Amino acid sequence: MNPVARHIGRTLALVLPVVLVLSGTLAVTRVPWAASPHGTQVLTSSSERTAPRGEPRARHEVVRDRLVAELQEKDPGVALTGLQEEMNRRPSLAKHCTSIARALGRAAVRKYGSAHRAHAYSRPVCDTSFAAGIAEFR
């Protein structure tokens, strides 16, 4: 093997786990079991984007959250079928299809803990975005 490639591989092997741990640690800003001086305890993920109170959420965010919840309750195949049906019903959401499919891919890996198992549910919805979401999570 090329010495430069070996060096890059070793560097990634050392740095990547640290980056993943730190990004996961920093993703949670407050946790319900931590003492809060103000009496409010909220679990907030950096990946969640919520609209301020009183403002309606964007339709694609509602669809994404519903499909991720459906994936958690059932399986990724059901959620991907739901995504395809949603795209057929509301073509205006097509520009958000890839981001929703990627979110489903990440949620599938979180649910099963294995990219291989999550890939078993791949469908040709929004090109390969579901698979890209699985690959991003690794």
Side-chain angles (χ1 to χ4, degrees):
M1 182 190 277
N2 184 345
V4 174
R6 184 176 295 150
H7 178 70
I8 291 172
R10 285 182 182 167
T11 302
L12 283 175
L14 293 172
V15 173
L16 192 57
V18 172
V19 170
L20 291 174
V21 168
L22 287 176
S23 65
T25 302
L26 297 175
V28 178
T29 58
R30 286 188 266 163
V31 291
W33 58 84
S36 174
H38 304 294
T40 59
Q41 298 171 343
V42 180
L43 179 64
T44 306
S45 170
S46 63
S47 65
E48 294 179 31
R49 303 286 184 249
T50 56
R53 290 181 187 221
E55 288 185 33
R57 294 176 54 211
R59 180 71 188 149
H60 70 276
E61 292 173 341
V62 173
V63 169
R64 180 198 59 222
D65 293 348
R66 180 178 53 81
L67 291 172
V68 167
E70 190 171 22
L71 183 146
Q72 295 301 323
E73 291 174 15
K74 298 175 183 168
D75 66 58
V78 173
L80 287 169
T81 299
L83 176 59
Q84 184 63 55
E85 291 170 352
E86 198 66 42
M87 293 301 118
N88 292 339
R89 270 195 305 269
R90 294 184 180 85
S92 62
L93 290 176
K95 63 185 173 187
H96 302 288
C97 188
T98 57
S99 65
I100 295 170
R102 282 184 180 203
L104 292 174
R106 290 188 298 267
V109 175
R110 266 189 243 106
K111 178 177 181 175
Y112 295 117
S114 162
H116 177 70
R117 187 157 178 216
H119 267 296
Y121 292 95
S122 287
R123 302 269 169 74
V125 178
C126 306
D127 297 323
T128 58
S129 298
F130 179 76
I134 292 170
E136 285 175 2
F137 196 82
R138 287 194 217 178

